[in-house]
Amino acid sequence: MGLGVTCSSGRCPCPWQRLDSKFINNAIFNAVIIELSLEIKSSFSRAILPLCPKLLLTSNFFLSLLRQHETVIPNELPLIQEVTTTLREWSIIWRQLYVQDNREMFRSVRHMIYDLIEWRSQILSGTLPQDELKELKKKVTAKIDYGNRILDLDLVVRDEDGNILDPEQTSTISLFRAHEIASKQVEERLQEEKVRYTADCGFSFAATPSFALFVNLKNVVCKIGEDAEVLMSLYDPLESKFISENYLVRWSSCGLPKDIDRLHNLRAVFTDLGSKDLKREKISFVCQIVRVGRMELRDNNTRKLTSGLRRPFGVAVMDVTDIINGKVDDEDKQHFIPFQPVAGENDFLQTVINKVIAAKEVNHKGQGLWVTLKLLPGDIHQIRKEFPHLVDRSTAVARKMGFPEIIMPGDVRNDIYVTLVQGDFDKGSKTTAKNVEVTVSVYDEDGKRLESVIFPGAGDEAISEYKSVIYYQVKQPRWFETVKVAIPIEDVNRSHLRFTFRHRSSQDSKDKSEKIFALAFVKLMRYDGTTLRDGEHDLIVYKAEAKKLEDASTYLSLPSTKIELEEKGHSATGKSMQNLGSCTISKDSFQISTLVCSTKLTQNVDLLGLLKWRSNTNLLQQNLKQLMKVDGGEVVKFLQDTLDALFNIMMENSESETFDTLVFDALVFIIGLIADRKFQHFNPVLETYIKKHFSATLAYTKLTKVLKTYVDNAEKCGITDQLFKAMKALEYIFKFIVRSRILFNQLYENKGEADFRESLLQLFKSINEMMSSISDQTVIVKVRSLQFSILWPFPNIFSSFQDFLMETFIMFKNLIGKNVYPFDWVIMNMMQNKVFLRAINQYADMLNKKFLDQTNFELQLWNNYFHLAVAFLTQESLQLENFSSAKRAKILNKYGDMRRQIGFEIRDMWYNLGQHKIKFIPEMVGPILEMTLIPETELRKATIPIFFDMMQCEFHSTRSFQMFENEIITKLDHEVEGGRGDEQYKVLFDKILLEHCRKHKYLAKSGENFVKLVVRLMERLLDYRTIMHDENKENRMSCTVNVLNFYKEIEREEMYIRYLYKLCDLHKECDNYTEAAYTLLLHAKLLKWSEEACAAHLTQRDGYQAATQGQLKDQLYQEIIHYFDKGKMWEEAIALGKELAEQYENEMFDYEQLSELLRKQAQFYENIVKVIRPKPDYFAVGYYGQGFPTFIRNKVFIYRGKEYERREDFEARLLTQFPNAEKMKTTSPPGDDIKNSSGQYIQCFTVKPKLDLPSKFHRPVSEQIVSFYRVNEVQRFEYSRPVRKGEKNPDNEFANMWIERTIYVTAYKLPGILRWFEVEISPLENAIETMQLTNDKINNMVQQHLNDPNLPINPLSMLLNGIVDPAVMGGFTNYEKAFFTDKYMHEHPEDHDKIEKLKDLIAWQIPFLAEGIRIHGEKVTEALRPFHERMEACFRQLKDKVEKQYGVRAVVSYLLTLCFLDMWDSLKFQAVVYFSIIIPISGHQTIKY
């Protein structure tokens, strides 16, 4: 198939036919389109055009797709223009889907594009008859609307002919109605297309109110040997309960279904599953096999055996959680479910089910079930309509045991599920326990059995009595067998369940003589008229003569449950039998459980009283009041009946107003209930009821009257709350009023129209009068009225214009915030915004004219204006950068960028405030920041200067701008984390504010510092946001520490703590309990052991309940100790515990806590000496190259490995995080070429931690104790690598083998708040390292020239001159200024040794230079002799200066011959060791020996 371009001849060699293969072989979508378009174009030159004339249209069309800015030819049909525009937009999305590898949606869009191109060519052909053309246009518009919906594009509204409506030529009401119609049509279209596109589009079942599991039983492979019942159901293994009815298949002994007609049609659908079932952690598909035949299979006795006994045989269980959740969807795949037989024939089936679920595998020996499974969306009606190939009228329907999440009006159900739970039966006169069989039946009060009302499972006929499984010689059988009892509603109040118990014998002769030995029963209707309660019932087991037990009058007057027995004053726990009439209460026990699923029978007495109100009208007022106390879940189950009852009460008392208010209140209660989030999925039910089932023709008069009465009495005590609820329900109250009036008009042809209009007019007048009230009691009601736009054009609505503006601003802001229209109603949303913008601008003029001068200025009014304007500007529907280019162009062309318009207005309004500006600082900083962060360059340039104005205002008032600074830092953090802000904003903020600050006399320096501070913060926050959703949690941790350290530096304690907890949460997610403890410890260190009140920012977590800092510190220490324990850092836990114990003992006197803490400490000490702890390895990692993020680029870190983690595994983990990085093969520091390259290079090697034993260990201690400090509380790490100097000595490889040892010092001790820290080098240490490198460089070059006299002299010339040049003076002049001053020595006394080392290095540079200049003088040419002489002169000056200040050094080569004759008797070993200068460097210390 091509892209929909075909020709009747079928001979068109259309290159589009190769599209699919080209997509497979070529990942560059645009290249394919261009190539194919050119191929089409060139095909015309080969005279293909006459064969396929329609191809020209398609080729031109696709070529136009490539020219996105081409203007559509205006003389085309409007629909053709729309198709072209739509295909352009869809093609962009199509390409994105291809790049994202979203194959399902890609195929779906491809099919739609094929269809549209085919239909477009048919319309353009001009050959279609009018009726076919009209029908085709409908198909095209339906396809466009459907495609737009599934691609989350905008809804298109059309007229009756399918043409797009022009909003400028259409009234607002008509436009709104058109949106409603279009949206409804698209929804219907979605339902129709669901079957066709379910597989392609991957619909989410989470959005479907109900769904079902389709099961097709292919085969039962099981050696049973007798007839059997195969019972399949859904089961929740965590709750150990069945959640659906059984699907029952009767299986014959020959291995086929008993009903041979169903041999290849064993299908069932488990319906009514909902979102709660999706949330179940586990769902199993369970099959129970019950053998029907002899008592024991192995019984081969020649005497006649009892047959027809139901005996346990085994179970098969499959986890279907992934299928239910939609993760697995393959209806053709046959699943094998292994069979587990019962261990013995007295093994309970429920027990076997739980054993199989717990077991990892089943030894099935090839026995089991073969099934196919598929999840289907919708209820049974939708499923039969949309999946007729799977589900038809012959498919068994097994319902969920419980109500579906939505019960539509007209859905009548009356099912009672009865589960036989367990029993305890005395063996009586028998030597062994009885083989108890329970028979369940339903009888009326006259003792007549109700026939065919018991359903053992879906797919099977109804029966009159059900017989339980028999467990052989079991005293306490546990059945857990469920049947459904379906009784006509009119018979329920007269019916009861009867359970008879009989011992069954394996011998037929004995079995026939066994009579019923006991009976239990329970009535389906309680004494108060409500249905039997859900849950377990402990039934009384009665004994009597068998004939008497068959007579219902014998037992019906007796209590049926032990609870009833106690209520009548009898003991239910006595061991002896009690006689009640002709029956005796047995010591036996029997439990059942019931679940009533009925839309007609309620278990709530208050709701029942209302539903049956006619039976006792004296209690009607009470019943109406009690309705408001009924559980919402019970009300919505009986929604239609409840609403019918309310309106029937109203209509049958039409001449009286007695019940009108109560009925109105009840109606408001129900509407409010459905508005609740818990029941909001019942909204369609209420809408359906109003449209299809509501029939109260006079309700409008009473509803209008009661509502008016409430409004008129709004200020009276007790009325306000009810009126407020009514205002919340106003939408549906008016729907009932309107529908009632429509029904009345249909009957009486507009009779009383004038009265109806007058009543509405009076109601609106009452609302306006209420709005003009100045009473405090009506404020809430007025706001609610405004939210529902009940603002009618009558005079004197508000007591003042100021009140009007105040309320209007609140109403507008609420309407903007709650998205009145769906997101895809773009035209309605933009029209609303256009109206809002015009209104806000007009109100701004009024603010400037009437409320700006000193006497009339109203702070709250202006505040409301600014918040409204910013809310308008930042609303989602105006953020053009989030839209496609086509949609953005349409909006800009028609409406412009409203954000810029309102933003400029806000700026002008701010500057108009004059002396009032200070009143809005710091409250307005956040909203203004929100506005400036909008990614519109001109808007940013216009509004960022407002910040400088705020700084000026506060500075003139307080001589600082501290409030502004604090607020902008806090708000900026939240805004950037929320997704706002970018690099461009940072640059503009820096540039604009610096320009303003530098021009200001007093803010030049402080302002510049502030701007640099905020820019630094933004850099960190943008890094943090970029990495926040990274799968690599270590990167997220690094960024988090980066930000929290910044907040610590600028002393923003609140924000510092906030990020501490973000870091702690990350550690807990990774099970880094030690690091989580150290992180929390930073918070604890901010607190004192005092009664000082705990500031709000200190308790940012809900889990901490503390009034004082001491209490909070106590709670934190407890948590930290817990984490140290989990991380096996018991030494740290003990240290904290000691501090805490001191508080408990001497400050709090909480000896109970102290004793518990000391017990923990004792355990910690024991763990230290007894528990073997793994020793983690440490790794040095260098990230080199510009390709890394700034926070790790060209830096070295020491990492603490995980337990038992090898270097190879650690490296693999690193390279997984950076898949593009190249692993360096050397361990020496890289050069500038690598550091400055655009790539990523990772260097990794193992380092050895240097033991730093605490001073308290002044004598030898156990290695078990010391071993902790070998890998913990370490900050110095060493790495040694062999280095060969000179040529290899064949006689002694050690003669020129050197060891280079590098010492790394981390910024903090490990472990700490991270599992890694950066290697830290102080400025002084850096100077020492630099001097050492320079000296090494001179020395190495001198050695090279000594070894090879033929080396060129130029590199040596440049090196020596660069050092001795007077401008450089050895390169150490800046070191002298920085470190050799009295001030530095006074501030850093700990650096004395390092300064002496630096001086020593400077002194040693002179002899190295002298040797270099000597060699240079020997090799220099005559032409360069003047250059050499100048260099010698400069060197003499340098030498004099250095030797005078730092002393004289001389190069001496020590040759030491050490004989180790005593080390090996047979070997004389001679080693030559060259001693070079040993210079310890804190960051990188290199020791050569």
Side-chain angles (χ1 to χ4, degrees), residues 371-559:
V371 298
T372 60
L373 302 161
K374 182 173 177 61
L375 193 67
L376 306 176
D379 58 27
I380 187 61
H381 305 295
Q382 292 171 296
I383 289 168
R384 281 182 176 147
K385 180 180 176 183
E386 296 168 12
F387 300 92
H389 61 295
L390 297 177
V391 181
D392 55 26
R393 294 293 171 184
S394 67
T395 306
V397 178
R399 302 196 73 167
K400 184 171 78 169
M401 289 196 290
F403 282 103
E405 292 186 4
I406 293 182
I407 307 163
M408 295 300 289
D411 288 353
V412 178
R413 187 176 180 186
N414 193 44
D415 299 330
I416 301 172
Y417 294 99
V418 181
T419 303
L420 307 180
V421 180
Q422 61 187 2
D424 189 345
F425 301 96
D426 187 59
K427 64 184 179 181
S429 59
K430 299 185 179 296
T431 57
T432 58
K434 295 173 182 173
N435 308 324
V436 179
E437 178 186 73
V438 185
T439 302
V440 186
S441 50
V442 184
Y443 283 78
D444 64 15
E445 58 192 13
D446 297 328
K448 180 184 175 184
R449 188 172 75 181
L450 275 62
E451 303 296 328
S452 302
V453 293
I454 299 174
F455 293 84
D460 200 49
E461 298 294 327
I463 56 178
S464 301
E465 62 178 26
Y466 173 80
K467 296 185 183 296
S468 72
V469 169
I470 301 164
Y471 291 100
Y472 188 66
Q473 295 182 354
V474 175
K475 182 177 182 294
Q476 296 177 323
R478 294 167 58 202
W479 295 282
F480 292 98
E481 298 176 49
T482 301
V483 295
K484 179 171 73 176
V485 177
I487 305 171
I489 292 169
E490 59 273 13
D491 293 337
V492 173
N493 63 332
R494 302 178 66 249
S495 304
H496 65 275
L497 297 172
R498 186 163 92 169
F499 307 90
T500 56
F501 307 96
R502 181 182 170 200
H503 169 74
R504 299 304 301 267
S505 173
S506 58
Q507 303 299 321
D508 188 50
S509 56
K510 284 185 180 181
D511 190 65
K512 285 180 179 177
S513 64
E514 295 290 347
K515 305 294 182 185
I516 296 169
F517 68 83
L519 170 143
F521 76 98
V522 66
K523 295 178 181 177
L524 296 178
M525 196 72 81
R526 287 161 49 89
Y527 64 91
D528 57 9
T530 58
T531 318
L532 181 67
R533 293 281 190 268
D534 292 343
E536 288 202 358
H537 306 278
D538 200 348
L539 302 187
I540 299 169
V541 179
Y542 287 103
K543 289 197 172 182
E545 294 177 13
K547 287 187 178 180
K548 288 185 178 180
L549 291 178
E550 292 175 1
D551 183 0
S553 62
T554 306
Y555 58 81
L556 272 181
S557 58
L558 302 176

Side-chain angles (χ1 to χ4, degrees), residues 542-543 558 570 576-586:
Y542 287 103
K543 289 197 172 182
L558 302 176
H570 299 279
S576 61
M577 293 188 179
Q578 301 180 50
N579 292 322
L580 294 178
S582 58
C583 293
T584 303
I585 299 178
S586 168

Side-chain angles (χ1 to χ4, degrees), residues 289 497-498 516 566 712 961 1019 1078 1189 1323 1484:
I289 299 181
L497 297 172
R498 186 163 92 169
I516 296 169
E566 290 175 352
D712 289 341
F961 49 88
E1019 286 173 354
Y1078 279 118
H1484 297 294

Side-chain angles (χ1 to χ4, degrees), residues 802-1074:
Q802 177 181 317
D803 289 342
F804 166 76
L805 287 178
M806 194 82 78
E807 299 286 2
T808 304
F809 289 164
I810 292 171
M811 179 187 72
F812 278 16
K813 189 170 184 293
N814 286 339
L815 288 172
I816 290 168
K818 74 176 188 178
N819 294 328
V820 178
Y821 304 114
F823 77 94
D824 60 340
W825 288 24
V826 65
I827 295 175
M828 286 303 298
N829 279 314
M830 294 310 295
M831 281 198 66
Q832 174 184 264
N833 289 332
K834 188 177 176 182
V835 172
F836 280 160
L837 179 62
R838 189 166 61 243
I840 293 169
N841 287 339
Q842 289 178 356
Y843 294 148
D845 290 341
M846 297 307 298
L847 283 176
N848 285 326
K849 290 176 182 176
K850 294 184 176 292
F851 299 101
L852 189 56
D853 60 83
Q854 191 66 37
T855 54
N856 294 316
F857 185 79
E858 181 57 47
L859 176 64
Q860 190 57 50
L861 186 61
W862 277 84
N863 199 48
N864 285 6
Y865 165 79
F866 281 123
H867 279 88
L868 166 62
V870 172
F872 176 83
L873 184 146
T874 55
Q875 65 174 301
E876 192 176 348
S877 63
L878 291 182
Q879 307 317 308
L880 303 180
E881 63 279 353
N882 297 334
F883 304 151
S884 67
S885 56
K887 180 176 178 180
R888 186 161 58 244
K890 285 180 193 173
I891 292 175
L892 287 172
N893 184 48
K894 198 164 192 66
Y895 304 99
D897 192 341
M898 296 188 197
R899 298 175 302 176
R900 191 190 293 189
Q901 299 173 46
I902 192 72
F904 288 0
E905 187 68 32
I906 292 171
R907 177 198 61 185
D908 295 343
M909 292 292 281
W910 170 262
Y911 288 126
N912 288 344
L913 283 171
Q915 60 184 340
H916 301 297
K917 292 174 186 173
I918 191 63
K919 299 172 184 175
F920 295 89
I921 302 171
E923 286 77 12
M924 278 306 298
V925 173
I928 297 296
L929 177 64
E930 252 187 286
M931 173 176 67
T932 63
L933 286 167
I934 294 293
E936 208 286 322
T937 305
E938 295 306 315
L939 177 63
R940 285 176 170 179
K941 288 179 179 177
T943 53
I944 287 176
I946 295 176
F947 291 140
F948 178 73
D949 198 45
M950 288 180 163
M951 292 164 64
Q952 277 192 112
C953 291
E954 188 181 348
F955 183 81
H956 289 316
S957 177
T958 65
R959 308 311 295 170
S960 78
F961 49 88
Q962 192 63 45
M963 287 191 303
F964 168 79
E965 180 178 322
N966 291 343
E967 188 71 7
I968 199 167
I969 287 174
T970 302
K971 298 298 183 186
L972 188 64
D973 184 281
H974 290 282
E975 293 296 333
V976 175
E977 186 179 353
R980 295 186 176 92
D982 48 39
E983 192 67 27
Q984 187 219 43
Y985 181 81
K986 185 190 76 173
V987 172
L988 280 177
F989 185 94
D990 187 25
K991 180 174 180 291
I992 293 170
L993 284 189
L994 275 181
E995 285 177 2
H996 282 77
C997 288
R998 285 168 178 165
K999 293 175 186 175
H1000 195 277
K1001 183 177 179 182
Y1002 301 107
L1003 291 179
K1005 186 174 181 181
S1006 58
E1008 185 170 342
N1009 290 338
F1010 160 75
V1011 174
K1012 291 187 180 304
L1013 177 77
V1014 173
V1015 169
R1016 284 173 59 211
L1017 173 61
M1018 286 185 68
E1019 286 173 354
R1020 286 159 174 77
L1021 291 176
L1022 288 171
D1023 277 346
Y1024 175 77
R1025 188 182 71 193
T1026 303
I1027 218 88
M1028 189 168 52
H1029 302 295
D1030 196 327
E1031 291 181 7
N1032 181 358
K1033 286 189 171 66
E1034 291 184 353
N1035 282 350
R1036 289 159 62 185
M1037 290 176 190
S1038 292
C1039 268
T1040 306
V1041 170
N1042 202 18
V1043 177
L1044 71 85
N1045 282 338
F1046 178 79
Y1047 282 129
K1048 183 181 180 182
E1049 176 190 334
I1050 65 173
E1051 298 179 350
R1052 295 283 302 178
E1053 194 172 83
E1054 176 186 357
M1055 307 306 293
Y1056 172 66
I1057 294 172
R1058 181 167 177 257
Y1059 279 87
L1060 278 178
Y1061 280 96
K1062 287 177 182 287
L1063 179 61
C1064 183
D1065 290 341
L1066 281 172
H1067 281 311
K1068 286 190 285 186
E1069 287 176 28
C1070 300
D1071 295 336
N1072 296 344
Y1073 297 111
T1074 298

Side-chain angles (χ1 to χ4, degrees), residues 1438-1483:
L1438 178 65
K1439 179 181 178 185
D1440 292 343
K1441 176 180 181 299
V1442 170
E1443 290 183 344
K1444 183 178 179 181
Q1445 289 181 317
Y1446 307 119
V1448 179
R1449 303 288 189 277
V1451 176
V1452 181
S1453 295
Y1454 299 96
L1455 182 63
L1456 301 178
T1457 304
L1458 304 174
C1459 298
F1460 301 102
L1461 298 176
D1462 295 335
M1463 294 180 63
W1464 294 280
D1465 292 332
S1466 60
L1467 177 66
K1468 290 184 179 179
F1469 177 80
Q1470 197 173 53
V1472 179
V1473 183
Y1474 289 89
F1475 284 79
S1476 74
I1477 303 163
I1478 300 174
I1479 303 177
I1481 301 175
S1482 182

Side-chain angles (χ1 to χ4, degrees), residues 7 9-18 39-40 43 46 48-49 51-52 55:
C7 93
S9 65
R11 291 178 285 114
C12 173
C14 179
W16 291 109
Q17 292 175 351
R18 300 197 297 275
E39 191 173 345
I40 290 171
S43 68
R46 296 194 300 269
I48 293 176
L49 182 60
L51 295 176
C52 190
L55 194 58

